[in-house]
Amino acid sequence: MTRTAEQNAVIKEFESIVGANKVLTKESKTSYYRSGFRSGIGMALAVVFPSTLVQQWKLIEACVKANCIIIMQAAKTGLTEGSAPSGSDYDRDVVIISTLAINKIHLINEGKQAVSLAGATLHSLEKTLLKINRSPHSVIGSSQLGATVIGGIANNSGGALVKRGPAYTEFAIYAQVDEKGELHLVNNLGIDGLGTTAEEILTNLEEGNFDPAKINYDKGIASDNEYEARVRDVTSDIPARFNADERRLFESSGCAGKLGIFAVRTDTFAIPKREQVFYLGTNDPDKLAKLRIDILSKFKNLPEMGEYMHRTIFNITEKYGKDTFVAIRYLGTKRMPLLYKIKSKAENFLKGFSFLPKDIPNKVMQYTSQLFPNQIPERLLEMRDKYEHHLILSMSDEGIEEALAYLEENWSEDKEDSNGGYIVCTKVEAEKAILHRFAAGGAAGRYTVMHEKTIAGMLPLDIALRRNDTKWVETLPQEVQDNIDVTLHYGHFMCNVFHQNYIFKKGTDKARMKEIMLKFLDKKGAKYPAEHNVGHLYKAESTLQKHYAKLDPTNTFNPGIGKLSKYKQSCNCC
């Protein structure tokens, strides 16, 4: 593609800021960064890699001056195409700024809070906090893919931990373009004395040159500290958490890339002294619904985690998620981001050879995984054979005895009317049960790859049911049922949040199926997406539209998300 003089000039400016080796312009080199984790791809003038916060600021300055669209990108783990360009119908050149190299973390207030810079990952934060017996908002899930702390905040990420709610903070420092097109550094991090100019402030922040006595702890919150009370209210007809919840849209929180964030300040959490995982099974969905209500409304101690799996996704994950399971168990989460990056780059490279079969890396990994023995413990397999619905329930400290007493009274297989059962997991069983659950997301995608000749593809929906909705097992509209190959359901049961993947038979009109399903969910009072942000796959509700417009009135950052306009100043007149 021939570039204009203006485009060459802005690329030269980028090179002067970060160096020529950290500016990519060839389509073959930028393809990985221009694509989504699961789907979607778009065009970009350049991908640039700052190494410091000051470089990040200067790149944003150069983009604003050159009237470029800015897409802030970190680990690129979002599932709704929200951290990459979408298509080529933008009215300005798109520049992707990848922040992963800016990865410092500063612990403050004896480790009770953390200041995470633009590229700091959840895994790095977890590792840092483990030394002082504390943990971050999320400890497994997207963290195993290398997700960043800021990515979680920007995308309302939910996580599996029942007590902590969506990722949220009111403390951040970011670049923002006002309605006049002027760039500002907004410092709402709650740390005074960092300096007067943007470069001074960002340099001192990055190096940790700030006085602990000048950190403000009186204004704002650094986590959703009301969530425990919210999730306990099982009478409400409003879901516990969802992407467009206006009570948790604040500056960087839920911004979906509409700001250029440099750092956020978040709470950390004490690690329980004791934890115990129980594995439950039943063929009666009403029994699980009652358990959810009983625990949330009657228990003194909330669970740490309550993860649901249907028998079908259990079986699919056993076969198609084995490589993920094995990799995490034996290589650890630390190496997973690199493995996923290598796999994604290989996929992008091989797409350039049209004569090759599709998805070679996935297929090689799938066939290789079959060389390993079955990874699922025998007692979990027995539960699978007996029961359709499964729950991994993790309790801590005093909650262990509370749960054990309840389960013995209501879930013992010895009771004639039980219609369910449970086991008290050993440490190995608990670890493998949780790993099996978190391999489920990738297994659904792998199944579609391996059955591409007989299916039309997958419709993944991320939904939050009303807190008072006890009819959580759906009866699909007949037209959808007729076109289904298989449904794969799993989720965060205590929050009534479910990931529902519908895999359709060959020849199915997926767009038509999505339209039917969304109308069906609307009638149920469900909200979607629940925790993955709208990206380019969902239409943003009015609350999100207002939030985005307030943060980014000129539509400079990540335009087009939520199926909104990609044009400057959010109009369609250009």
Side-chain angles (χ1 to χ4, degrees):
M1 182 180 72
T2 303
R3 293 196 295 262
T4 66
E6 291 80 6
Q7 289 173 328
N8 283 325
V10 75
I11 289 170
K12 286 293 184 185
E13 178 70 10
F14 295 157
E15 291 175 343
S16 71
I17 296 169
V18 299
N21 63 328
K22 293 183 180 179
V23 180
L24 303 181
T25 58
K26 289 184 178 180
E27 288 189 15
S28 59
K29 297 288 187 181
T30 63
S31 177
Y32 168 76
Y33 302 95
R34 293 186 287 105
S35 61
F37 183 79
R38 269 186 182 166
S39 60
I41 191 167
M43 299 303 297
L45 174 67
V47 182
V48 288
F49 302 86
S51 300
T52 68
L53 292 180
V54 170
Q55 286 184 356
Q56 182 182 335
W57 168 255
K58 288 182 175 180
L59 289 170
I60 293 172
E61 273 189 316
C63 287
V64 172
K65 183 179 178 181
N67 193 32
C68 291
I69 285 169
I70 303 166
I71 295 180
M72 303 301 303
Q73 187 181 94
K76 202 172 71 76
T77 60
L79 300 179
T80 56
E81 305 180 7
S83 56
S86 178
S88 57
D89 55 337
Y90 295 93
D91 63 336
R92 294 151 287 164
D93 287 323
V94 175
V95 176
I96 299 169
I97 299 177
S98 176
T99 62
L100 277 179
I102 312 171
N103 55 15
K104 286 186 179 179
I105 296 169
H106 303 299
L107 299 185
I108 59 176
N109 193 21
E110 299 179 328
K112 294 177 182 177
Q113 289 188 339
V115 176
S116 301
L117 302 192
T121 65
L122 273 167
H123 182 269
S124 296
L125 180 56
E126 181 184 4
K127 185 178 178 181
T128 300
L129 290 171
L130 191 60
K131 300 172 185 175
I132 56 171
N133 207 37
R134 296 187 73 83
S135 68
H137 161 263
S138 181
V139 294
I140 193 169
S142 59
S143 59
Q144 74 195 39
L145 307 179
T148 60
V149 177
I150 284 178
I153 294 294
N155 292 304
N156 306 97
S157 296
L161 302 179
V162 177
K163 302 175 184 178
R164 300 181 191 178
Y168 181 77
T169 187
E170 294 172 0
F171 298 107
I173 181 169
Y174 52 84
Q176 183 175 35
V177 177
D178 67 20
E179 64 277 1
K180 296 179 181 179
E182 296 177 356
L183 179 66
H184 303 274
L185 178 68
V186 181
N187 181 10
N188 288 338
L189 204 55
I191 300 176
D192 298 327
L194 287 171
T196 54
T197 68
E199 292 191 17
E200 284 179 335
I201 292 169
L202 294 173
T203 298
N204 285 323
L205 174 62
E206 185 160 1
E207 296 304 319
N209 296 329
F210 48 82
D211 186 349
K214 293 185 177 181
I215 301 175
N216 190 319
Y217 294 103
D218 298 327
K219 295 181 180 179
I221 57 176
S223 64
D224 188 353
N225 58 7
E226 300 170 342
Y227 186 73
E228 182 169 338
R230 183 176 177 84
V231 76
R232 282 184 178 275
D233 183 5
V234 294
T235 64
S236 175
D237 59 4
I238 300 172
R241 54 183 169 99
F242 55 99
N243 195 246
D245 185 359
E246 60 185 342
R247 62 185 280 278
R248 287 297 175 252
L249 297 175
F250 185 87
E251 296 180 358
S252 63
S253 293
C255 75
K258 302 298 282 182
L259 300 169
I261 307 173
F262 298 101
V264 294
R265 180 175 144 197
T266 57
D267 285 334
T268 69
F269 304 87
I271 294 176
K273 295 176 182 177
R274 296 183 298 140
E275 286 193 67
Q276 177 61 59
V277 170
F278 302 92
Y279 197 95
L280 287 65
T282 183
N283 293 312
D284 180 5
D286 290 340
K287 188 174 182 67
L288 271 180
K290 184 179 186 303
L291 173 137
R292 174 180 164 271
I293 291 172
D294 286 347
I295 288 179
L296 294 179
S297 61
K298 298 176 182 178
F299 274 35
K300 181 180 178 181
N301 303 279
L302 282 182
E304 295 296 317
M305 184 185 297
E307 291 297 293
Y308 169 76
M309 290 183 80
H310 187 269
R311 178 192 279 154
T312 304
I313 188 64
F314 184 111
N315 292 334
I316 293 292
T317 305
E318 182 183 7
K319 181 174 181 179
Y320 296 98
K322 188 189 288 186
D323 56 320
T324 299
F325 186 107
V326 169
I328 296 174
R329 178 160 172 78
Y330 294 106
L331 299 179
T333 56
K334 179 180 179 180
R335 293 178 176 86
M336 292 305 293
L338 177 60
L339 293 177
Y340 275 103
K341 190 172 184 178
I342 292 171
K343 173 178 168 286
S344 295
K345 287 195 170 184
E347 287 171 344
N348 277 287
F349 173 75
L350 293 170
K351 284 177 183 177
F353 301 91
S354 57
F355 58 88
L356 291 176
K358 291 172 59 180
D359 296 304
I360 291 176
N362 265 308
K363 291 173 180 176
V364 169
M365 291 169 69
Q366 178 60 31
Y367 292 130
T368 303
S369 72
Q370 301 311 302
L371 300 176
F372 290 87
N374 195 307
Q375 300 294 307
I376 312 302
E378 187 62 33
R379 291 206 298 169
L380 269 59
L381 293 175
E382 292 173 359
M383 294 289 280
R384 182 270 313 275
D385 294 339
K386 289 180 184 177
Y387 301 116
E388 180 181 2
H389 304 286
H390 299 240
L391 184 71
I392 303 166
L393 182 67
S394 177
M395 303 297 296
S396 61
D397 299 330
E398 291 81 6
I400 297 172
E401 285 71 33
E402 190 174 18
L404 189 58
Y406 177 88
L407 293 174
E408 186 58 30
E409 175 67 25
N410 297 280
W411 283 73
S412 174
E413 289 182 327
D414 296 334
K415 297 183 181 297
E416 291 184 8
D417 60 346
S418 173
N419 197 17
Y422 76 93
I423 60 174
V424 181
C425 292
T426 65
K427 184 177 180 180
V428 171
E429 286 173 334
E431 177 186 326
K432 289 190 173 184
I434 293 169
L435 271 182
H436 188 60
R437 158 63 185 90
F438 285 101
R446 178 68 57 76
Y447 178 90
T448 65
V449 168
M450 302 306 294
H451 293 79
E452 61 184 354
K453 293 182 179 180
T454 59
I455 63 170
M458 178 171 65
L459 170 63
L461 293 179
D462 165 33
I463 70 166
L465 299 180
R466 294 174 289 125
R467 279 172 279 169
N468 61 3
D469 191 348
T470 59
K471 300 301 180 184
W472 57 278
V473 175
E474 65 192 3
T475 301
L476 290 171
Q478 190 61 49
E479 187 176 349
V480 176
Q481 287 187 48
D482 292 343
N483 286 280
I484 287 286
D485 175 76
V486 65
T487 58
L488 305 174
H489 290 188
Y490 50 96
H492 314 305
F493 194 73
M494 295 296 154
C495 309
N496 246 7
V497 167
F498 295 93
H499 304 298
Q500 301 184 169
N501 299 314
Y502 305 92
I503 299 176
F504 294 105
K505 299 172 185 175
K506 204 75 171 178
T508 301
D509 183 346
K510 283 203 305 175
R512 168 68 177 161
M513 295 300 103
K514 183 175 181 180
E515 180 184 359
I516 295 172
M517 282 304 304
L518 295 186
K519 287 180 179 179
F520 171 71
L521 293 172
D522 288 339
K523 287 182 180 180
K524 284 176 63 68
K527 291 288 188 178
Y528 50 85
E531 59 178 6
H532 287 163
N533 212 303
V534 290
H536 288 283
L537 299 185
Y538 293 92
K539 182 179 179 180
E541 291 190 21
S542 59
T543 52
L544 280 178
Q545 293 184 32
K546 291 174 183 177
H547 185 53
Y548 298 157
K550 181 180 179 181
L551 296 178
D552 184 25
T554 62
N555 215 15
T556 296
F557 289 91
N558 209 13
I561 55 165
K563 297 190 178 295
L564 301 175
S565 172
K566 294 180 179 178
Y567 293 159
K568 191 170 184 178
Q569 296 180 340
S570 300
C571 72
N572 286 299
C573 56
C574 301

